[in-house]
């Protein structure tokens, strides 16, 4: 009985350490671990892998106008929409504030752009407490010999390009450098 109780408590602690408490998604810490596992698999077996970084447009305004409780409701709802657009093998995480990341194993550039556009459209069609939300998305496909840092940097640069181009859009990172 004692060992079973301790094992359950340990599993619960591991789960809590890996999960964003608001959305129930993986957190940044867990995403780093899972990303390394996916990249190792991609390097061994060679399947394409993509990364989607999502940022809620003008989220600060939502919090200021409607309060943090409504902001939290929007975050949870968008997390559910993103999760609903993802496959079982995909990894959806909240990486901070109003930013999410989605690792898409076995997904080429065309597939990643389709998923990203599906996410953008689904969020744009939903509304929470009469509040419409839009998202901007940066997409990168893993390049040969690229490390996790470069992968994330390229997707992040594509996200900033989407923001600079007017928000509520998907931008693809070029293969060799920044967006």
């Amino acid at each position: 009985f004692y060992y079973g109780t301790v094992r359950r408590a340990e599993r619960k602690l591991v789960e809590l350490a890996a999960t964003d408490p608001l959305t129930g998604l993986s957190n940044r810490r867990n995403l780093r671990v899972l990303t390394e596992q996916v990249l190792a698999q991609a390097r061994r077996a060679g399947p394409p892998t993509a990364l989607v970084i999502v940022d809620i447009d003008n989220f600060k305004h939502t919090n200021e106008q409607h309060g943090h409780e409504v902001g939290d409701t929007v975050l949870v709802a968008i997390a559910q929409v993103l999760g609903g657009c993802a496959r079982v093998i995909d990894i959806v995480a909240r990486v901070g504030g109003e930013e999410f990341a989605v690792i898409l194993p076995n997904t080429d550039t065309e597939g990643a752009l389709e998923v990203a556009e599906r996410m953008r459209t689904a969020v744009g069609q939903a509304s929470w407490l009469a509040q419409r939300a839009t998202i901007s998305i940066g997409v990168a496909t893993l390049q040969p010999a690229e490390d996790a840092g470069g992968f994330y940097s390229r997707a992040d640069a594509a996200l900033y390009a989407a923001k600079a181009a007017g928000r509520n859009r998907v931008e693809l990172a070029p293969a060799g450098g920044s967006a």
Side-chain angles (χ1 to χ4, degrees):
F1 173 76
Y2 173 75
Y3 290 111
T5 302
V6 169
R7 277 190 230 126
R8 281 190 299 278
E10 286 174 343
R11 280 193 299 270
K12 185 66 175 172
L13 286 173
V14 168
E15 180 184 327
L16 288 171
T19 305
D20 174 63
L22 179 64
T23 63
L25 298 176
S26 285
N27 62 20
R28 179 185 292 267
R29 180 184 313 114
N30 192 43
L31 181 67
R32 284 185 186 142
V33 172
L34 296 173
T35 298
E36 289 301 332
Q37 292 171 357
V38 169
L39 296 186
Q41 174 66 25
R43 287 183 194 107
R44 266 194 317 278
T49 300
L51 171 63
V52 172
I53 297 183
V54 176
D55 190 75
I56 303 171
D57 296 328
N58 303 309
F59 187 69
K60 183 178 179 183
H61 177 73
T62 298
N63 275 336
E64 290 172 351
Q65 185 175 11
H66 301 287
H68 289 283
E69 191 170 316
V70 171
D72 286 352
T73 300
V74 171
L75 284 168
V76 170
I78 288 177
Q80 290 172 347
V81 170
L82 297 178
C85 292
R87 304 166 299 180
V88 173
I89 64 168
D90 299 336
I91 301 161
V92 183
R94 180 176 176 212
V95 294
E98 67 272 11
E99 192 170 295
F100 300 85
V102 184
I103 299 287
L104 304 168
N106 302 322
T107 306
D108 61 13
T109 301
E110 183 179 325
L113 289 171
E114 287 175 15
V115 170
E117 187 58 36
R118 188 168 56 241
M119 290 174 171
R120 189 193 66 76
T121 300
V123 168
Q125 291 175 345
S127 65
W128 303 276
L129 304 173
Q131 176 72 29
R132 286 268 183 217
T134 61
I135 55 176
S136 296
I137 302 175
V139 176
T141 305
L142 184 66
Q143 300 301 300
E146 184 173 41
D147 65 6
F151 194 29
Y152 276 90
S153 291
R154 287 188 314 105
D156 203 39
L159 169 64
Y160 282 102
K163 294 278 190 185
R167 303 186 194 293
N168 191 27
R169 58 185 296 129
V170 175
E171 288 288 334
L172 176 64
S178 62

